[in-house]
Each structure stands twice: as C-alpha cells, then as structure tokens.
Amino acid sequence: MFSPSKIKKDFPIFTDSNLVYLDNAATSQKPQAVLDAVDSLYKEANANVHRALYSLGSEATERFENSRKKVANFINANSKEIIFTSGTTESINLLARSLGNTLKSGDEILISEMEHHSNIVPWQLAAKRTGATLRYLSIKKTGELDLSEPEKYFTKKTKIVSLTHMSNVLGTINPIKGLAKLAHNVGAIFIVDGAQGASHLPVNMKELDCDFYAFSGHKMLGPTGIGVLWGKTKLLEEMEPFMGGGEMINTVSMESSTWNDIPYKFEAGTPNFAQAVGLGAAIDYLENIGMEAIELHEKTLLNYALNKMNHMDGIRIHGSAKDRGGVISFNVDGIHPHDLAQFLNEDNIAIRVGHHCAQPLLKTLGESATARLSFYIYNDENDVDKFCDSLKTIMGYF
Ligand code: PMP
C-alpha cells in the first residue's frame, strides 16, 4: 500500500501547511509533475496543434496526441475514441445535443434521482427541444438505485440511459455492467457520468460495456479545462458534430461542409492542449500508484471515518450503499452545514457544504444542504482524526 504522507510531499499546496483537504469530489490538488508538464509545454513546445509545419508545432502535437494515447490506455480504449472536452459537463452536453437531436416525441430518456445537475439539465433541455420525456430511476433509503422493477423504467420507449458511476453526494457506486445490460436489452444507448468514476476507480471500457463514458481531468490530479468523452467508434461516426469551427472539418465550401474523422470531428477550435498534456502527466502519476490501490485506500479511509462518525451522537450520515467510494454526506443536529464549514475552516479543514449540484437528490434526502467529506490519495487517518476532533469541539459550542 502507498503512503499518503509521502504522496503529500509531491503536492506543492501541502508544503509548509497544515491544510486538511477533504473536498476532492469538487476538485483534486495537483502534483508537481502535472504542473511541470504544463509549464514545460508552454516553455518548450508552445505552438498550435495539428496545424504548424515547423518543429515546435510537431512537438506540441506529439505531446498532445501522446496524452490521448495515455487516456486511451488508462480506460482500455482506442485513441480515436477519445474526445477531449473541457470536462464532464461539456461531454454530457455534447451527447445531449448530438444524440439528443435524434429523439422525438414519445421517446424516453432515463436518468436517476442521484444525478449531478450536469447529467440532468442537458437532458431537460434535450427533452424540451425534441418532445421526448425525461424519467428518473428512484433511489432506496440505502442510497442505491431502486432496480426492483426495471421493466417499468427500461422499456421500448427508452432511447437513452445516462447514469452516474459514483454519486458525488452519497458515494454510491452503481452496478454499471448490469445497468448496461438493462439498457441494451431495450435497445437504448447507455451513457456513464464518470466524473467520480475514472478519478477513483479502475475503469475499463471493454468490461463496463457502456456506450459513452464522460470524465473530468481536474478531479483526477489534472488541470482544469480538460476532460474526456469516450464513445464507441460506430456511434461516434454516426453522430453529428456538436460544435462547428476549425479542425473539425474535412472540406468547407460557401454552402456546406464535410466532417473530419473522429475524434477531431468533435474537437472544434484550438483544443486545451496544454491542459491535455497535464492530464497525461496526471494519468502517469495515478498509474504509478495503481487505481486498484487507490480504490482500496479510499474505501479503507471511508470505513475508518464512518466508524468514528457513527460513534458520535447527533450526526446523520446519508446513504449506506454496499458498494461505496470515499464520500460521506452528513448533517449535524442543530448546526447548519454552512456554519459547520466555517468553523472547520478555522482549523484549516476544507469540506464542501450545500446541495452539491444535486438538488433533486437533496430533496429526496429531505435536506436543503448537507456537509460532505471526500477523500483522495493524499488523505490519511490523520486527516480524519483532525476532522473528527474539530467536529467534536464545534458540536460542543452549540
Ligand atoms: N458529475 C458528477 C458526478 C460530478 O461530481 C461532477 C462534478 N462535481 C460533474 C458531473 C461535473 O463535472 P465538471 O464540473 O468537471 O464538468
């Protein structure tokens, strides 16, 4: 097993600081190797990619395309199926536009009550544009999807199913392979919101059997502004582009245009190539530790924290899924989550409070806001102890 305290030394933000960072579901911190990769691109190889016929341009393109290969290897996919986007949000919007436009009145889009707004709102917009109906799989008290009557939700009308791999509020890990089967049995396209998946779990596109998988670089040690949409070749080739502009075309006349091959058909304009190179360095860093080891570390830390928090009176923890990643949402009797975050901040402990961009889920939980801890590779039991000690002190004030 790796050592979080050693890992912390690779992250400049933790240098000479007693910061306890427990908001990793929102974004992760960056190791020096990622900062160096971005810095080096700008200092040594900055030229626009896929255009320049001089050495600097070739170097930039090589580093950019090399990152695409790293992403493809990381999720066991083909490079041409890796579309660089700005993040999960853009990836899902791309699908909701491109696939969404093939929907018609009477068709159904199936999502769930535990989705992030970025996997709800794009589908609401698609439904509004096309007359399709948006349906929600409900969740059980445990915070798991209620799959007791799948035939009610997965029907001949279901054209698109889009579900999260792991809930950013409850930590619930959804049974993706089984859900893929349910979707494919009715001929629907199955999309996975992997914002909390690829960053914390080993993911293998050949095994998961989804049709599309979306994730964000900034949640997995990479820079902001870079994300990924993976899709099956056949589906990507059939889809219309999302945005028009440079690089995504084959020919342009005054009247019309033809499209470039995938993935470039979906990458209009200058891509965030420096950030993509940073994501490649982040993947190297994660692979060096190993995603299996990361998953195990976070689950161990989750159980350690749950055990401590369950022994404290007045804390309500939301969800108790059997398969669960390193996320804990909770409320403390008599203390508003916002007050809690401010008091914890006095001890340099960073947690997220609010609706976590999942208002429908918060409604189901019967809360307007919760407090949330979320772990990553640099967190350890020491962080959890400091958090619990601070929490106990705060609870004593009220
Ligand atoms: N889906 C989930 C489950 C998330 O946790 C997040 C980020 N909190 C997103 C989608 C959106 O990711 P981004 O803001 O990086 O586009």
Side-chain angles (χ1 to χ4, degrees), residues 3 21 40 59 64 73 126 133 140 142 232 252 257 265 320 335 347 351:
S3 155
Y21 186 74
S40 147
E59 177 66 24
F64 176 55
N73 279 337
T133 305
K140 300 186 284 189
T142 56
K232 285 183 178 160
V252 180
S257 307
K265 179 169 88 173
S320 56
I335 311 181
D347 288 336
I351 68 158

Side-chain angles (χ1 to χ4, degrees), residues 25-26 87-90 92 116 118 164 166-168 193 195-196 216 218-219:
T88 308
T89 302
E90 186 185 316
I92 297 176
H116 186 278
S118 62
T164 191
M166 173 166 129
S167 161
N168 64 312
D193 169 354
Q196 305 293 341
S216 299
H218 71 97
K219 293 188 197 283

Side-chain angles (χ1 to χ4, degrees), residues 133-175:
T133 305
L134 182 58
R135 297 190 64 197
Y136 290 78
L137 268 170
S138 50
I139 61 165
K140 300 186 284 189
K141 276 245 149 37
T142 56
E144 292 160 309
L145 292 176
D146 185 351
L147 296 169
S148 54
E149 293 176 299
E151 64 286 353
K152 279 198 179 160
Y153 295 94
F154 296 82
T155 73
K156 277 197 184 121
K157 290 183 183 171
T158 318
K159 300 299 169 205
I160 293 173
V161 178
S162 189
L163 299 168
T164 191
H165 196 165
M166 173 166 129
S167 161
N168 64 312
V169 179
L170 304 168
T172 308
I173 298 173
N174 285 323

Side-chain angles (χ1 to χ4, degrees), residues 8 10-19 21 29-30 35 378:
K8 256 186 189 154
D10 292 338
F11 290 72
I13 206 153
F14 296 121
T15 313
D16 301 326
S17 127
N18 62 353
L19 170 66
Y21 186 74
Q29 299 302 341
K30 320 300 172 201
L35 305 179
Y378 32 70

Side-chain angles (χ1 to χ4, degrees), residues 9-321:
K9 295 199 173 89
D10 292 338
F11 290 72
I13 206 153
F14 296 121
T15 313
D16 301 326
S17 127
N18 62 353
L19 170 66
V20 176
Y21 186 74
L22 296 169
D23 194 16
N24 294 286
T27 198
S28 65
Q29 299 302 341
K30 320 300 172 201
Q32 189 62 46
V34 168
L35 305 179
D36 286 347
V38 177
D39 195 46
S40 147
L41 186 283
Y42 282 130
K43 282 181 177 158
E44 296 157 16
N46 186 46
N48 210 332
V49 291
H50 298 143
R51 293 154 171 83
L53 285 181
Y54 44 85
S55 308
L56 211 55
S58 311
E59 177 66 24
T61 303
E62 201 178 311
R63 292 192 194 189
F64 176 55
E65 288 303 328
N66 200 26
S67 268
R68 197 188 304 275
K69 283 185 200 143
K70 285 181 188 182
V71 173
N73 279 337
F74 184 66
I75 62 169
N76 195 19
N78 188 313
S79 284
K80 70 176 182 180
E81 297 174 333
I82 303 297
I83 297 159
F84 282 123
T85 63
S86 64
T88 308
T89 302
E90 186 185 316
S91 299
I92 297 176
N93 274 276
L94 188 165
L95 293 172
R97 273 275 161 190
S98 238
L99 285 178
N101 284 352
T102 64
L103 296 169
K104 53 184 188 328
S105 172
D107 289 345
E108 290 180 1
I109 307 161
L110 180 63
I111 60 173
S112 84
E113 278 177 6
M114 71 166 80
E115 301 308 316
H116 186 278
H117 294 165
S118 62
N119 196 28
I120 300 175
V121 185
W123 300 116
Q124 288 177 339
L125 292 170
K128 204 169 170 192
R129 270 197 321 275
T130 61
T133 305
L134 182 58
R135 297 190 64 197
Y136 290 78
L137 268 170
S138 50
I139 61 165
K140 300 186 284 189
K141 276 245 149 37
T142 56
E144 292 160 309
L145 292 176
D146 185 351
L147 296 169
S148 54
E149 293 176 299
E151 64 286 353
K152 279 198 179 160
Y153 295 94
F154 296 82
T155 73
K156 277 197 184 121
K157 290 183 183 171
T158 318
K159 300 299 169 205
I160 293 173
V161 178
S162 189
L163 299 168
T164 191
H165 196 165
M166 173 166 129
S167 161
N168 64 312
V169 179
L170 304 168
T172 308
I173 298 173
N174 285 323
I176 297 300
K177 269 201 242 178
L179 290 163
K181 223 179 237 166
L182 287 172
H184 290 152
N185 281 348
V186 294
I189 285 173
F190 183 43
I191 300 164
V192 178
D193 169 354
Q196 305 293 341
S199 37
H200 300 280
L201 309 167
V203 291
N204 181 333
M205 291 308 115
K206 304 246 157 49
E207 271 180 14
L208 285 184
D209 196 30
C210 52
D211 298 303
F212 294 96
Y213 194 95
F215 56 103
S216 299
H218 71 97
K219 293 188 197 283
M220 48 192 288
L221 311 181
T224 49
I226 190 74
V228 174
L229 173 65
W230 167 84
K232 285 183 178 160
T233 299
K234 186 172 173 293
L235 293 170
L236 290 174
E237 282 175 345
E238 284 167 6
M239 272 161 55
E240 283 292 301
F242 166 50
M243 289 201 293
E247 274 305 303
M248 51 74 71
I249 52 83
N250 185 15
T251 60
V252 180
S253 71
M254 285 195 185
E255 294 75 30
S256 62
S257 307
T258 59
W259 312 139
N260 202 342
D261 293 334
I262 60 165
Y264 309 111
K265 179 169 88 173
F266 295 103
E267 292 182 356
T270 300
N272 287 345
F273 56 91
Q275 292 78 356
V277 168
L279 175 58
I283 285 175
D284 286 342
Y285 193 95
L286 290 171
E287 282 185 330
N288 199 27
I289 300 171
M291 292 309 291
E292 279 86 5
I294 292 172
E295 181 185 9
L296 182 64
H297 166 70
E298 291 176 15
K299 285 185 171 167
T300 308
L301 207 50
L302 170 79
N303 288 330
Y304 180 77
L306 283 176
N307 191 34
K308 280 196 97 157
M309 291 171 75
N310 277 328
H311 281 94
M312 292 165 73
D313 285 337
I315 295 184
R316 282 175 287 120
I317 294 173
H318 302 290
S320 56

